[in-house]
């Protein structure tokens, strides 16, 4: 067993709201976990890495990504072959890691490509990619949000949902994404359109929970948000029109909220004259309401996670760091915004005993920055940051 001690840095470990100066920690090179931590004189080890007075913080979680999509493809997103999307996905996973994201959850991929790529990752054939929780195809009603070639299981009853979820798990999916409402990118439906029914989504929840797995619900407006909560989903994705009563129900049920603010911001910011007018209008009309509704939900005590919906138009796989600045607009401090990742996202995925924060006993997934992340969320957007997985430098 060999060990490496990293030293001469300021540490934000993701558990609280302050930095630890003159910090060091030691990583077991076999388990890839922190085995010791302190301040001042560093512990002896086989190798020593001097980080030159920089800042260290945990790698980010991004719990809402679509690695088979291209943010630069504004039409025909689902027209690519399986071989093409596999290449896109591998490149997108590398981009995520380079931006500081060390753990991702997929929320819908074409051809179940993430499931197949994870098998290769586990064989060591996908270097420089983050840890990944797979979803495979999403679950949509016929004609609903996500009804596109190779992108969804189309289900129109609780029994069809039950069978489809079982098929997805048989194929290797690790989590479930259901469509509770219409969406921005689908023509002829709207955020307030309810789609999958409570009974249909409850069948998905029941099957997933039998296997101790999660259900995420795409739910932008009402009554779809309420339907998803009544079905017992584990996370509301987007939640732009969440009400105070729904927020209270989320707190009671332990439901997490993934706001994906960057996805809603990029379309009106960059889409005029490029995207269809109806698509830009949907986002632009919702954005101001979103900040008000999410601020209220946060103040009431809803637990927010970090997800960006990466792969949607203009929403690149390098933009996870930008999400934290938008989270401060709903009333969070920089530390609280990062804890949406380090604490809440890890807890949602059920991996918080080993990932998320930089504590002894957890994996040494971290990033090294030139400027203090607690002083300004803009500092985590550094393009040439160092990124480590299990104590091994990837970028």
């Amino acid at each position: 067993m060999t060990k490496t001690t990293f030293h001469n840095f300021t540490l934000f470990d993701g558990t609280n709201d302050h930095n630890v100066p003159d910090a060091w920690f030691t990583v077991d090179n076999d388990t890839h976990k922190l085995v010791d931590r302190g301040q001042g004189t560093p512990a002896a080890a086989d190798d020593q890495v001097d980080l030159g007075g920089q800042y260290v913080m945990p790698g980010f979680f991004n719990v809402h990504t679509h690695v088979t999509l291209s943010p630069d493809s504004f039409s025909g997103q689902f027209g690519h072959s399986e071989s093409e999307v596999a290449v896109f996905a591998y490149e997108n996973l590398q981009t995520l890691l380079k931006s500081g994201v060390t753990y991702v959850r997929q929320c819908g991929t074409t051809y179940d490509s993430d499931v197949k790529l994870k098998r290769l990752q586990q064989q060591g054939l996908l270097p420089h990619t983050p840890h990944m929780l797979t979803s495979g195809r999403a679950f949509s009603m016929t004609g609903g949000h996500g009804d596109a070639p190779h992108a969804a299981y189309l289900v129109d009853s609780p029994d069809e949902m039950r069978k489809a979820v079982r098929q997805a798990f048989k194929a290797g999916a690790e989590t479930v994404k259901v469509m509770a409402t219409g969406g921005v990118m689908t023509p002829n439906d709207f955020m307030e359109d309810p789609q999958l029914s409570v009974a249909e989504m409850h069948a998905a929840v029941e099957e997933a929970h039998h296997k101790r797995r999660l259900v995420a619900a795409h739910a932008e407006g009402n009554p779809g948000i309420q339907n998803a909560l009544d079905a017992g989903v584990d996370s509301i994705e987007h939640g732009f029109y969440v009400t105070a009563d729904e927020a209270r129900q989320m707190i009671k049920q332990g439901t997490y909220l993934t706001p994906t603010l960057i996805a809603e911001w990029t379309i009106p910011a960059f889409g005029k004259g490029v995207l269809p007018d109806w698509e830009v209008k949907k986002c632009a009309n919702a954005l101001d309401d979103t900040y008000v509704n999410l601020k209220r939900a946060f103040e009431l005590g809803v637990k927010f996670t970090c997800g960006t919906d990466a792969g949607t138009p203009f929403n690149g796989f390098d933009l996870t760091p930008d999400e934290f600045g938008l989270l401060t607009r709903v009333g969070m401090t920089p530390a609280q915004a990062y804890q949406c990742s380090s604490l809440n996202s890890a807890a949602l995925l059920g991996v918080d005993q080993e990932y998320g924060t930089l504590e002894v006993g957890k994996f040494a997934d971290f990033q090294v920055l030139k400027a203090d992340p607690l002083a300004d969320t803009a500092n985590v957007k550094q393009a040439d940051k160092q990124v480590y997985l299990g104590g091994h430098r990837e970028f």
Side-chain angles (χ1 to χ4, degrees):
M1 179 180 72
T2 62
K3 297 178 182 179
T4 300
T5 291
F6 297 85
H7 62 96
N8 188 19
F9 59 87
T10 297
L11 174 66
F12 170 64
D13 68 12
T15 66
N16 50 50
D17 62 355
H18 61 266
N19 286 322
V20 177
D22 194 20
W24 59 265
F25 54 63
T26 301
V27 179
D28 183 319
N29 296 327
D30 295 322
T31 66
H32 307 293
K33 294 182 177 182
L34 274 68
V35 293
D36 199 3
R37 203 185 102 175
Q39 291 176 268
T41 304
D46 302 275
D47 296 296
Q48 299 273 347
V49 178
D50 186 339
L51 293 179
Q54 297 185 86
Y55 293 82
V56 169
M57 70 180 299
F60 297 134
F61 275 65
N62 189 326
V63 300
H64 192 130
T65 63
H66 301 280
V67 292
T68 54
L69 296 184
S70 169
D72 302 319
S73 178
F74 307 128
S75 62
Q77 280 268 33
F78 300 98
H80 299 294
S81 70
E82 184 170 6
S83 297
E84 289 171 315
V85 300
V87 173
F88 297 157
Y90 182 31
E91 291 176 342
N92 293 337
L93 285 166
Q94 291 181 313
T95 299
L96 281 160
L97 183 60
K98 188 175 183 180
S99 75
V101 175
T102 53
Y103 211 118
V104 298
R105 176 181 64 170
Q106 299 308 318
C107 272
T109 61
T110 52
Y111 300 100
D112 298 330
S113 293
D114 58 332
V115 174
K116 300 163 188 175
L117 288 171
K118 184 164 182 177
R119 293 187 190 124
L120 296 176
Q121 186 186 55
Q122 291 173 326
Q123 297 170 35
L125 299 176
L126 255 65
H128 311 302
T129 56
H131 309 291
M132 178 167 57
L133 190 69
T134 64
S135 66
R137 288 172 283 166
F139 296 81
S140 176
M141 71 179 197
T142 298
H145 185 62
D147 181 352
H150 315 293
Y153 292 92
L154 299 181
V155 295
D156 296 299
S157 71
D159 285 344
E160 288 187 0
M161 175 68 85
R162 192 177 304 278
K163 183 171 184 178
V165 170
R166 290 173 177 176
Q167 289 174 326
F169 286 155
K170 180 180 178 180
E174 298 172 304
T175 188
V176 169
K177 166 76 172 301
V178 297
M179 302 298 194
T181 70
V184 172
M185 294 173 60
T186 308
N188 303 317
D189 70 21
F190 299 91
M191 296 182 189
E192 65 267 26
D193 291 352
Q195 296 202 345
L196 289 171
S197 69
V198 174
E200 288 165 339
M201 290 187 284
H202 180 70
V205 169
E206 188 173 54
E207 289 300 316
H209 287 185
H210 284 169
K211 289 185 173 292
R212 298 162 299 282
R213 293 176 181 172
L214 302 173
V215 177
H218 165 98
E220 296 179 351
N222 279 301
I225 296 173
Q226 186 64 61
N227 290 344
L229 290 174
D230 291 344
V233 303
D234 300 289
S235 65
I236 297 293
E237 307 298 306
H238 316 302
F240 301 147
Y241 285 95
V242 63
T243 68
D245 285 343
E246 289 165 344
R248 295 185 186 98
Q249 185 173 347
M250 293 178 75
I251 295 164
K252 182 177 180 181
Q253 294 180 185
T255 313
Y256 290 82
L257 176 59
T258 311
T260 65
L261 287 165
I262 192 72
E264 193 179 6
W265 179 80
T266 53
I267 287 176
F270 304 110
K272 293 177 183 177
V274 180
L275 298 174
D277 289 343
W278 55 261
E279 188 170 345
V280 175
K281 190 172 186 296
K282 283 184 187 181
C283 268
N285 289 347
L287 193 54
D288 289 342
D289 291 335
T290 294
Y291 288 122
V292 173
N293 296 333
L294 296 184
K295 186 175 191 295
R296 180 180 58 217
F298 175 67
E299 290 172 348
L300 286 170
V302 172
K303 290 184 178 180
F304 282 55
T305 54
C306 176
T308 65
D309 210 7
T312 56
F314 306 102
N315 186 6
F317 291 86
D318 58 344
L319 294 184
T320 305
D322 293 75
E323 181 75 5
F324 299 104
L326 295 175
L327 287 170
T328 64
R329 293 188 61 175
V330 303
M332 298 185 193
T333 65
Q336 289 171 326
Y338 303 138
Q339 287 164 5
C340 294
S341 166
S342 64
L343 296 178
N344 295 348
S345 292
L348 168 63
L349 302 193
V351 298
D352 51 314
Q353 295 303 303
E354 293 191 303
Y355 297 93
T357 59
L358 291 171
E359 299 175 273
V360 171
K362 295 189 179 184
F363 284 97
D365 298 341
F366 61 94
Q367 49 192 318
V368 183
L369 305 167
K370 295 174 183 176
D372 183 1
L374 296 184
D376 190 337
T377 58
N379 292 335
V380 302
K381 296 194 288 183
Q382 179 185 326
D384 61 347
K385 64 177 68 171
Q386 299 177 35
V387 183
Y388 288 77
L389 278 180
H392 179 268
R393 186 172 176 180
E394 303 288 334
F395 290 102

